[in-house]
Amino acid sequence: MTEKKIREILALVEAGGLSADRALARLKYLPFEDLGFARLDHHRGLRRGLPEVVFGEGKTANQIAAIGKRMAAAGVNLLITRLAPDKARMLKRKLRGLAYRPDAQIGTIIREPPEIRGHGTVMILSAGTSDIPVAEEAAVCAEVFGNPVERLYDVGVAGLHRLTASADAIQRASVLIVVAGMEGALPSVVSGLIDKPVIAVPTSIGYGASLGGIAALLGMLNSCSSGVTVVNIDNGFGAAFAATMINRVGLESGRD
Amino acid sequence: MTEKKIREILALVEAGGLSADRALARLKYLPFEDLGFARLDHHRGLRRGLPEVVFGEGKTANQIAAIGKRMAAAGVNLLITRLAPDKARMLKRKLRGLAYRPDAQIGTIIREPPEIRGHGTVMILSAGTSDIPVAEEAAVCAEVFGNPVERLYDVGVAGLHRLTASADAIQRASVLIVVAGMEGALPSVVSGLIDKPVIAVPTSIGYGASLGGIAALLGMLNSCSSGVTVVNIDNGFGAAFAATMINRVGLESGRD
Amino acid sequence: MTEKKIREILALVEAGGLSADRALARLKYLPFEDLGFARLDHHRGLRRGLPEVVFGEGKTANQIAAIGKRMAAAGVNLLITRLAPDKARMLKRKLRGLAYRPDAQIGTIIREPPEIRGHGTVMILSAGTSDIPVAEEAAVCAEVFGNPVERLYDVGVAGLHRLTASADAIQRASVLIVVAGMEGALPSVVSGLIDKPVIAVPTSIGYGASLGGIAALLGMLNSCSSGVTVVNIDNGFGAAFAATMINRVGLESGRD
Amino acid sequence: MTEKKIREILALVEAGGLSADRALARLKYLPFEDLGFARLDHHRGLRRGLPEVVFGEGKTANQIAAIGKRMAAAGVNLLITRLAPDKARMLKRKLRGLAYRPDAQIGTIIREPPEIRGHGTVMILSAGTSDIPVAEEAAVCAEVFGNPVERLYDVGVAGLHRLTASADAIQRASVLIVVAGMEGALPSVVSGLIDKPVIAVPTSIGYGASLGGIAALLGMLNSCSSGVTVVNIDNGFGAAFAATMINRVGLESGRD
Amino acid sequence: MTEKKIREILALVEAGGLSADRALARLKYLPFEDLGFARLDHHRGLRRGLPEVVFGEGKTANQIAAIGKRMAAAGVNLLITRLAPDKARMLKRKLRGLAYRPDAQIGTIIREPPEIRGHGTVMILSAGTSDIPVAEEAAVCAEVFGNPVERLYDVGVAGLHRLTASADAIQRASVLIVVAGMEGALPSVVSGLIDKPVIAVPTSIGYGASLGGIAALLGMLNSCSSGVTVVNIDNGFGAAFAATMINRVGLESGRD
Amino acid sequence: MTEKKIREILALVEAGGLSADRALARLKYLPFEDLGFARLDHHRGLRRGLPEVVFGEGKTANQIAAIGKRMAAAGVNLLITRLAPDKARMLKRKLRGLAYRPDAQIGTIIREPPEIRGHGTVMILSAGTSDIPVAEEAAVCAEVFGNPVERLYDVGVAGLHRLTASADAIQRASVLIVVAGMEGALPSVVSGLIDKPVIAVPTSIGYGASLGGIAALLGMLNSCSSGVTVVNIDNGFGAAFAATMINRVGLESGRD
Amino acid sequence: MTEKKIREILALVEAGGLSADRALARLKYLPFEDLGFARLDHHRGLRRGLPEVVFGEGKTANQIAAIGKRMAAAGVNLLITRLAPDKARMLKRKLRGLAYRPDAQIGTIIREPPEIRGHGTVMILSAGTSDIPVAEEAAVCAEVFGNPVERLYDVGVAGLHRLTASADAIQRASVLIVVAGMEGALPSVVSGLIDKPVIAVPTSIGYGASLGGIAALLGMLNSCSSGVTVVNIDNGFGAAFAATMINRVGLESGRD
Amino acid sequence: MTEKKIREILALVEAGGLSADRALARLKYLPFEDLGFARLDHHRGLRRGLPEVVFGEGKTANQIAAIGKRMAAAGVNLLITRLAPDKARMLKRKLRGLAYRPDAQIGTIIREPPEIRGHGTVMILSAGTSDIPVAEEAAVCAEVFGNPVERLYDVGVAGLHRLTASADAIQRASVLIVVAGMEGALPSVVSGLIDKPVIAVPTSIGYGASLGGIAALLGMLNSCSSGVTVVNIDNGFGAAFAATMINRVGLESGRD
């Protein structure tokens, strides 16, 4: 629940459009609501400037539906990551308005389109074709969080000309999210070309000594190119969240 | 060598204050200069908006001095990280104007004070007393890079009241660098309180199952608090570099 | 077989309510009984003050049933952990009186309700919703072992207010079991608030660099908050067992 | 600063034995005092029932002395762990009344003898001779924390008769701290003999595949004997702290 | 093909019971036979004193059948380890006389019963019920290799009385194979009781920090009890092979 | 697209056999073509002297088919590695001319037979039968890349006579690819016998402490036999690619 | 204290050569003696057939001297492993009759020469020159334990002819101890040549990916040659102990 | 001892310039000579086409001198790697003609200049200044082995223009050795630019999550650029050896 939402509720009451009782019903979920198995944190939107996100992987369809309904009742946008296709099918029957992006394994219920804010574009690069699902998780999340987003995929370091051909677009971006598996070298090269923040996302793409993404993670942490920061393996969502925080540095909180 | 520096050289020539020959002598180091064992990248300042930094640990005092003299000749500020006290003593005899900060193990030759730029303050937090050397590396670097810097040390999660007592200062910062060893939990807690970018720096402080900082690193990468990004163990410099990039997102390049 | 049980058998014989032969049949299982594939240790209840527990994961339904029948014959309460739902269905047909808790993956045959003993309440906290199955394993075991139990779920460190809102209940508890995956930071924070024993249970919840719970385990072992002790990943049962030992420290053995 | 200490100060004022000004001087350190590099938490004694402990390893002699003087000014007992002999020699000149135990690498300034509290004895077992320094760290800490302590050293599992010869003493203890390196098997065997809490401390004793104590740590975490809990490698202090919490479960706070 | 077998063939020819041609057909497989995907080493029996063994896990049913038929043609006993039940069903149709032991996942075609040789009994101990499949692999292999075998299962260190109750049998054995998962402590305890060779077999039984048997393996390698040697995780066959070599030390080669 | 292919197109235009428009259609894919999810690098053939290879594992059948059609349109040979049998069946319906080698899990569309080039034969050795799939991936790739190939399988170090029986063939080869799982010792032994480049390929064959091929990988990296170089676990393709580069060292680029 | 020793004492008393009081003084150390920091297990010789061995690495010179004197008082042979040269010099002044072998880092006080027992020779092989210290630890221990010993050094797999030149000696041995660092391949090759027990000792010789001997350890555990058993890294003593147990399998206890 | 050397000896005898006795003295070292602690393999030069190399790290100055003298007696060139400066000083007094290269930590006694052979130049690239010692080990070895060598240092991926500025030289080389620490990305980028064999050498340069070179090693093994092969961490010698084998593929053995 964003600050804007809270003000709207109060304005409605002031204007006579909402009875005190129904306003109370909506507001009473604050500061958080105990479902027994989950404490919904409706105030988090207020604190962090972004809607709550449900991590779908460790939860049953029923648990997600219960959380989703409470959030829908509170009138907020909903974002479910790591939502497998079959679980998405089950959820569609339970949560009205759920849209599903299979390439990013993300489900959304968008009640009001996200307000576009930030200094510029969040650019998402992927080293290979197989890294695209993680890149798409980052891209879709960044869009839902209200950033302009550009994509540049399959530009790994084994063929530098594919990367340098897009050098201008890269230099115009505000923040870059660079997604790579295997040896994870792309963020070093990209970061060496620009003076913008680079968030590196290792992926679990690879085999053998890639150790499920550990090789790429280590490569990124040891980047010889200063200023690269790293998130967990396959964590496209976390990269998008951080990029959004960065893209809004110094801006007035956009909730008024 | 910053763009500003280049323009100054050219303006001096234009104004008759510098002969073409001497201007040439300064500019000829561009784009990079091959010392045999190191290729100084004087253009990097131009590309990245920051002076070159020398990583002192893997180099002899003679190698550092040689690099430092070339850079001094080019008129740029110099920053040497991981500079052990005894090596600093040797260098002081070879590099005029070298200042040494033993708490941060950093040497600097500042020819012109760094221009202050950025949306706001870079705040450095440390979990414990033993994490301070890494925090100071970050703090001193961030200062030399031109950021206003605030410090808040020894505020680990075992005594939350120490942290919450400074909640206001934390919320006013533009970017936060959170330095912690052992279980590395502080970035999660800090990040949960604010909507600003948090850069987590694991330290090698600890023993036994801390595995030289791997435990803290893993803890930070798995943060349950969205938007935390991570740099290498003990990499205070890298965190300061990234924070500077973030603090300038959306600003005009400050070189005019 | 508890000491109480043995005394009852002997008292029955003394009172004429049990023939020497049938008493013998019951007692002959002592000290342990060799099923070929398992040596049932009926005396363990005597030594440790708790009934034997069957770890269901590595055993076939037939093996569990055979063990369960022998124990039933000895008249003791039965607790089966890590019992998958399908195996539970098969067992229900073979073991009369088996109750199954799917949230905790625990099966029980309770012949006499456990005697409530201990200095106070065992409190179970979980950091996230996904950690609940492990937390429930701990909670159900602690109940069967005769402790008063309280639950407080989804109070992870990314939203401290959810935790501090329950500070009073936390401080009243006698022993705390804190269950957390990902970075495993919750035990440090909880332990910093109280002067009670805290048993930390890392869970395998997470992905990528969580390494199947190793990140949480390392975090807990390196806790900056003194006095946290740790059990194996996902080992809710072990935590409950230890908490029971702790909750009875200094009490007379409860078998009279 | 314990609650008792605070009450004493107030009682002194009430009785005219302490001026308001000097009382203020003592109390003003509360709730914590910022030395710049360390935030002394004088209230922690109140919250946790134990004096603050200084971890000596990551700190310079000067830093320890500064902390120690502030604590001495507040009138509390001081305990410094991981204090190397040479650092202890330097400290002795700066901190009056410092006693040093080289076998445990512990320094103490005891202003008032610790009040003996708890349900019974804390027993410390070591598997080998080489594990004794860690066992002594646990033993000395447990004594300073006010527990009766018994020691039983060099009773490893390769010669069970050494252990079983002391079975009675083991069974009489209230809490057991079992210290072992190499394969770390002793806690499993001890725990199988009793119904008391067992805290296992792995040590870094060993070579090759002991991996600096990781082998012992893993062994203890995987104990087949229920109810063993584990602390970090070589963490004798942490074990003593946890044992103290356990030994006081259910007791009134001992501060009145 | 054992030396005995070769002598029999030659003796048959000498006695007129086998034509030179058919003898040739049998002998021509020597020294090894190239099936394209496998080089059968019929001489290995001669060199090592034991029949070739097929490791079933990495091979298709067709590959095993082809190897098996060639060996059958050479008249040797056949032992297939790691043979899953479904693959065994398929093989039974292709290899006449195949017997299958599901508890040990071993298939055998025994053409002539193994000659019993060795100084005494090979004893197999298991720590828990779940370790039995690996123990059975060791036991069945040791039997097929011609050793007298005794089994003692579920005698883990958490209940020492189960082990000491069989102390006499243990001390009478010639060689001991001790199979244990989790912390792998049983070999240390057993080895401390006797002056016989102990071969430790770690199993992958456990969860979380057992790391698929690595914890047990490390525990055994770091045994504080001298003279324990170790084989790979779950390698019951390898332990049986080594035990057979040991049980025959100093005996005349048994092939005459 | 090889240089030869480009010259042919241009020659056809020159000779009037191809309209400028159609030539354009073929050439426009250069230097690379953006399919959105993949950037086909038709120039790579020119730079590296070998056709592009599609890694099948991380891609859907539809993605592979789309890439394959574009490449077919450009008239180049196609090689798909790690192509599972069921995916191959689906692809056969979409890509005309696709041949599938199930033993090597490789699909190919060969439009013109590869030109045989190189100093001599590439020899592929495998230590065991289970290593053959990886060895076949190397062998088939090396053939498609235009090398004469010889195979020598199941010659592991436990039976050296199998290896030494083929010593002559080994010494005649130009480059050797040695494939081994388990302890990975074969490359050391082979390399000690010859003065030719040896590329070692560890396989994931093994169990327990083989750690999915890490043991073999480490063994090969630590080879006591000078001059062994290593590729990733199970990377038969990479070994074949490197062997091809080596086999052509000093030869004129074969594209005229 | 061996059984023989006990009988001698008793015989002396019987024959009047020893007063009951002095006999008592000697026997009272039985079954073990508590030095506070060490429990000397004089009965172990009785149980295991070998004298107690002191592991010198984790103990101070004073501790070793104290243990050594007690053992000397009991009249047994003394063996101290991992005894650094400087510690040996200090000990020589305190323990009369101490001999030191710097190549094996072993100190001994031999009061009566060890009785030669066992089926045959224990052969020690080393792969390289750098592995010799570990091999010598094994060789000297095996000699002190009463085995005939042969050495064969620097016969690594990179030059097989050095090994095969000694094939006859290898085949005559009773038990083999094979010491190797780096990839640890030698035990596999040796074991493939013979039908004798092979004990593999990995050494920490190597660098980089040898991981302090882990690579060699893993190689040996994954040996493709059946029947190899393994001890800890650099554990020459343990290998000698196990070899002695093996060399005596089936022999009467040699104490009468 | 090269084949050429043997022929020379024989020719001398034939021509009367060497008595049979002295020829015998020289030849008798063949095939290898047992120094007790080392078996010198004078035939290896014959088999591998290169002189024996002594690895200095694990050997005492005395051992190296003894080996060196025997080799000098045999008239061969001597190459000692990993020779620390102080050991080199000691050796200079014992081995006449020893030259020492401190940057490469290599000692040499060159009796006859190496014959230059191979298809072209071996090029050595280093990513950073700190990687130079390893690169120099490779370069000096490659020179002594008879290759033309070029160096290109400090061309890491963070500043691609430094690399591309030397693109022509890179493409002219015959074989490339690419040395890099930290994330080890340089070999991927270099290999993508050329169609020549690339040998990647990870270095232990870095800190924290570089894990002593493991990060760079994993990065190189997972290179997305086909055909990169890898040697052990810091193994410049091994890379030079392999490069020499590769540079001579298809050439007549150069010994006539």
Side-chain angles (χ1 to χ4, degrees), chain E residues 53-81:
Chain E
V53 177
V54 176
F55 182 72
E57 202 170 273
K59 301 195 181 66
T60 65
N62 280 339
Q63 284 179 323
I64 300 173
I67 295 173
K69 278 173 186 166
R70 284 301 193 204
M71 288 189 159
V76 297
N77 289 338
L78 182 67
L79 179 68
I80 310 161
T81 61

Side-chain angles (χ1 to χ4, degrees), chain A residues 153-216:
Chain A
Y153 291 167
D154 197 22
V155 291
V157 300
L160 281 180
H161 57 297
R162 298 180 295 186
L163 182 67
T164 49
S166 301
D168 282 355
I170 292 173
Q171 269 152 352
R172 274 194 312 269
S174 182
V175 193
L176 295 103
I177 295 173
V178 184
V179 181
M182 305 180 83
E183 85 268 60
L186 187 57
S188 291
V189 172
V190 169
S191 173
L193 300 173
I194 56 169
D195 60 342
K196 299 290 169 47
V198 170
I199 301 169
V201 189
T203 72
S204 52
I205 294 305
Y207 58 91
S210 86
L211 304 175
I214 294 292

